[in-house]
Amino acid sequence: GAGVSQSPSNKVTEKGKDVELRCDPISGHTALYWYRQSLGQGLEFLIYFQGNSAPDKSGLPSDRFSAERTGGSVSTLTIQRTQQEDSAVYLCASSFTSGTGELFFGEGSRLTVL
Amino acid sequence: QQQVKQSPQSLIVQKGGISIINCAYENTAFDYFPWYQQFPGKGPALLIAIRPDVSEKKEGRFTISFNKSAKQFSLHIMDSQPGDSATYFCAARRFTGNQFYFGTGTSLTVIP
């Protein structure tokens, strides 16, 4: 079975441009998370989707960041008017919500804003 | 506000030695404490996890020690190997909302 798939794996953009990052979770996983990992930093929570419930957006750093999850599966993280401080690896994870809820991570999308 | 505090930031250990990474938390609503291992260019992967009703869990060379009263837990890697060189993250899950909070990570280097 496939793991969590993220695309693109690398994205270089110019300051001020919009970018979209995609996450395809493991089939059947009802929970989906986005985290940001900056160089030498830990995992910064961005947003969490659980089934059909309203997402927990409490980690989004600014209104330039948004995310959606269509049909309870694929998710897209959008960053508008990118800034250099947005440069980071964006990690997506999915899980079942029952049991331990182990997170399965994708390999991330590395974003570089010039 | 860092919900889970992790130390040290980096660690260098000789092959065969013991690697110890420590984490502390404040929120008593956490009910699950996993450790994740991350190799360069890869996403983190679950290494070992513990629930707060257990004081120790061992899987092979990896052991979690958990002190509920002190709100601390640690990862011990026995007989450390160069292949263990990676970044390690501790985490805690808040059951309500199924939200995970991660430490800032420890970069482990095991010298042959």
Side-chain angles (χ1 to χ4, degrees), chain A residues 20-42:
Chain A
E20 287 189 349
L21 307 177
R22 176 189 168 105
C23 173
D24 204 336
I26 292 173
S27 178
H29 280 188
T30 55
L32 187 147
Y33 304 75
W34 283 98
Y35 289 88
R36 179 168 68 176
Q37 184 173 25
S38 302
L39 186 63
Q41 300 298 310

Side-chain angles (χ1 to χ4, degrees), chain A residues 8-12 21 37 39 88-90 107-112, chain B residues 41:
Chain A
S9 56
N10 280 286
K11 176 71 175 179
V12 180
L21 307 177
Q37 184 173 25
L39 186 63
V89 175
Y90 289 83
E107 296 196 340
S109 292
R110 179 177 296 279
L111 175 65
T112 303

Side-chain angles (χ1 to χ4, degrees), chain A residues 31 33 35 37 40-43 45 48 50 56 91 95-97 99-103 105-107, chain B residues 9 32 36 38 41-46 51 87 89 93-94 97-105:
Chain A
Y33 304 75
Y35 289 88
Q37 184 173 25
Q41 300 298 310
L43 300 175
F45 166 73
Y48 163 53
Q50 172 51 52
D56 178 352
L91 290 163
S95 76
F96 293 110
T97 49
T100 63
E102 175 187 348
L103 297 184
F105 283 87
E107 296 196 340
Chain B
Q9 184 175 2
Y32 173 68
Y36 282 79
Q38 184 181 31
K42 302 294 185 181
L46 180 66
R51 293 195 180 276
T87 299
F89 293 95
R93 184 185 70 175
R94 188 184 72 215
N98 202 39
Q99 183 56 275
F100 285 81
Y101 299 89
F102 285 84
T104 50

